[in-house]
Amino acid sequence: MSPQNSKSEVGHLRRIAVVWVVVSVVADLLFWFLVGPHVPPGRMTETAINNQRTFNILFVIALPVLIGVWVYLGYAATVWSAKRDGAPESVGGEAARTNQKAQVWWMSVTSVIVILLAVYGFYAVVVEHGSGGGEGPNPVWSPEGAIQAETAALGGGSSWTPGHVLVVQVIGQQWKFTYRYPGFGGFESDQLILPNHTTIAFNVTSLDVIHSFWAYQLSVKADANPQVNNVAYTETKQLGSFVVRCSELCGLWHGSMFNDGRIVSQSDFTNWATSTQTANAANTAHLPPFAWTYVPDANGASGGFYPDGTFTPYSPSEIYGAKSPAS
Amino acid sequence: MLGLFAVAVGLVITAVAGFLTPGVPGGIVNFTGAQPSGQPVNLTVQTFGAIGTGPHPTWVSYLVKSPQGQWVHSTDWELPANTVINMTVIQYDSGSPLRNQQWGQVTGTIGNTASVNGKALSQYDSNSGNGVGHTFTVPALGLDIPLVAVPSTSKNICGTAPCASSFDHNTITFSFKTPGAGNYSWQCFVPCGLGYLFGNGGPMSTQGYMGGFLKVVA
Ligand SMILES: [Cu+2]
Ligand SMILES: [Cu+2]
């Protein structure tokens, strides 16, 4: 390689680098400030805000990589393209086949990016209390006050007041989610209403097959398994309505298994919950005691129910509805 | 060899297609135009333990009374939007407890109430008495009515549809208002698919038996 060549190579590299840095900075800034705030799942909850930020950080890191490839391609195509008059090709050939320096740089930089993102991902999951995902029956990353609230809920004597963690049980069933509020006498409703500025402990379970509770704008997603209590946390931040969908193919009416939920003010929530508690009292009396999971009957109509009447009060499992045979 | 393979593939396809399309007769029963616009529409259905005909004669199902007065095997009903529907369900089936007693509460009807044989019903304890035969539930509308069962000890249970009113039955009536145009699925929340896993297979998982659509048109 002649000194002449090496000099011009440095010139090419410098030009590419300048274009890459300028375009990347502009694109990153435009994305972060113009697109970022609108990226799903929005900003209705702490977990939504955090997940939006995580997505935006990923994008801002990925964008320069993408732009680097495009700038290099563009530069190569315009500056180093083959001459039409039969002159020897200037791209490809021996020089382009192996450039160890470039390979080492490329692999090192992308590896460092991926490892840093993995570290950041672990950090986010831990400090954000599971980041809105189901943590299973014994969550290790509980927000403050959650364990106390859940213990009280299971004891049957809890009552929710603003400023405390609200326990909401999500019950999946073919083909509808219903919600139980142990802080209000354990009533059940097909509506999911939540108070604003409150930490919510979703306790997700199923009465039959596997469903998945996906509250999109809340950035909460937790599988609903029969006889498993799957706990997911978030903190509400913004009034408005959100969509709940089942995200586990669960049979004929899976596509109908959705409902709207709402985040309302704490006083509106208290009003709704207490009035629903009163309105549903007659039916609540016939629900099984509040428990983390419920044993579904094996076979439905008049066949093969699980044995009834032997469970201890507030055991982890209650038989849901199937007090069979009907007397 | 290839021919044999083709025959085998053909058989599998036929079997799968047969399984996926259980041949539901009846189509969509149209209740629009049966009444002058804005007037309440009367919708009468009967539900029972066995349909008696078709590919699954032993399955639970519904018949709907067409505006022309015939019992039709269909669970897809076309209804006018923003209209009061006066619904009558003649329930001939025996019952069981609900898997989720929540469906024992009458919701979404006008006045949040229904009537069983003329007596008001706002909530039914499915763990006592005769249990619930089926529920009529439209999840998207928050509409739910437990269809109270006839005693399983009855000597006068209708064997196969269509059931004559001389058989034991409960007459459940309620009214609800249709929303704007759209397709709203309805289903039963009693695991009444006898012999299937969790009671939710068979008629519970096949269009035209324990669920269908309210096809609401403007
Ligand atoms: Cu589901
Ligand atoms: Cu049914």
Side-chain angles (χ1 to χ4, degrees), chain B residues 47 60 62 93 133-135 187-193 204 209-210:
Chain B
T47 181
V60 287
Y62 280 82
D93 205 0
H134 306 277
T135 73
Q187 67 162 98
C188 165
F189 273 92
V190 175
C192 61
M204 283 293 281
Y209 289 86
M210 270 294 133

Side-chain angles (χ1 to χ4, degrees), chain A residues 44-45 194-196 218 236 238-240 242 261-265:
Chain A
M44 280 189 93
T45 62
L194 302 172
N196 203 4
L218 305 189
T236 52
Q238 206 178 72
L239 302 175
F242 54 89
R262 265 185 304 137
I263 297 176
V264 300
S265 71

Side-chain angles (χ1 to χ4, degrees), chain A residues 46-311:
Chain A
E46 191 67 41
T47 48
I49 291 167
N50 285 326
N51 288 340
Q52 185 191 68
R53 186 194 303 131
T54 303
F55 181 87
N56 290 349
I57 286 172
L58 277 172
F59 207 92
V60 159
I61 292 171
L63 212 46
V65 177
L66 180 78
I67 288 169
V69 173
W70 281 359
V71 167
Y72 184 83
L73 271 178
Y75 192 88
T78 48
V79 179
W80 294 323
S81 62
K83 307 291 179 289
R84 283 166 188 277
D85 55 10
E89 204 182 353
S90 54
V91 176
E94 196 60 39
R97 203 159 292 150
T98 316
N99 187 331
Q100 219 169 33
K101 218 160 111 188
Q103 285 174 341
V104 168
W105 268 103
W106 179 259
M107 282 191 282
S108 310
V109 169
T110 49
S111 300
V112 167
I113 289 175
V114 169
I115 289 166
L116 282 180
L117 286 176
V119 171
Y120 172 72
F122 275 114
Y123 167 81
V125 164
V126 173
V127 300
E128 293 159 19
H129 313 295
S131 222
E135 291 188 50
N138 299 302
V140 283
W141 304 305
S142 298
E144 210 190 316
I147 299 297
Q148 292 92 312
E150 300 201 64
T151 308
L154 200 59
S158 75
S159 63
W160 183 80
T161 45
H164 293 89
V165 174
L166 177 73
V167 178
V168 177
Q169 182 169 52
V170 179
I171 301 172
Q173 188 187 357
Q174 286 174 312
W175 290 269
K176 181 93 180 76
F177 286 113
T178 54
Y179 308 94
R180 269 191 99 167
Y181 291 80
F184 294 86
F187 77 79
E188 188 171 337
S189 172
D190 67 346
Q191 286 185 287
L192 179 54
I193 310 289
L194 302 172
N196 203 4
H197 301 300
T198 301
T199 299
I200 314 288
F202 289 107
N203 288 252
V204 184
T205 189
S206 166
L207 301 183
D208 40 46
V209 299
I210 301 171
H211 303 273
S212 185
F213 171 72
W214 183 27
Y216 179 77
Q217 289 88 343
L218 305 189
S219 202
V220 170
K221 197 174 191 186
D223 283 351
N225 288 269
Q227 299 183 59
V228 175
N229 180 34
N230 195 7
V231 183
Y233 300 108
T234 194
E235 188 188 335
T236 52
K237 288 283 182 188
Q238 206 178 72
L239 302 175
S241 64
F242 54 89
V243 180
V244 173
R245 279 181 187 287
C246 179
S247 67
E248 180 71 48
L249 183 56
C250 59
L252 182 64
W253 299 112
H254 166 69
S256 299
M257 200 165 164
F258 62 88
N259 63 273
D260 287 334
R262 265 185 304 137
I263 297 176
V264 300
S265 71
Q266 295 183 342
S267 59
D268 284 357
F269 171 78
T270 307
N271 289 341
W272 171 80
T274 49
S275 64
T276 310
Q277 181 179 359
T278 309
N280 287 17
N283 202 56
T284 306
H286 301 306
L287 295 176
F290 185 83
W292 290 142
T293 64
Y294 307 93
V295 180
D297 50 279
N299 229 353
S302 43
F305 292 101
Y306 280 82
D308 187 21
T310 51
F311 50 80

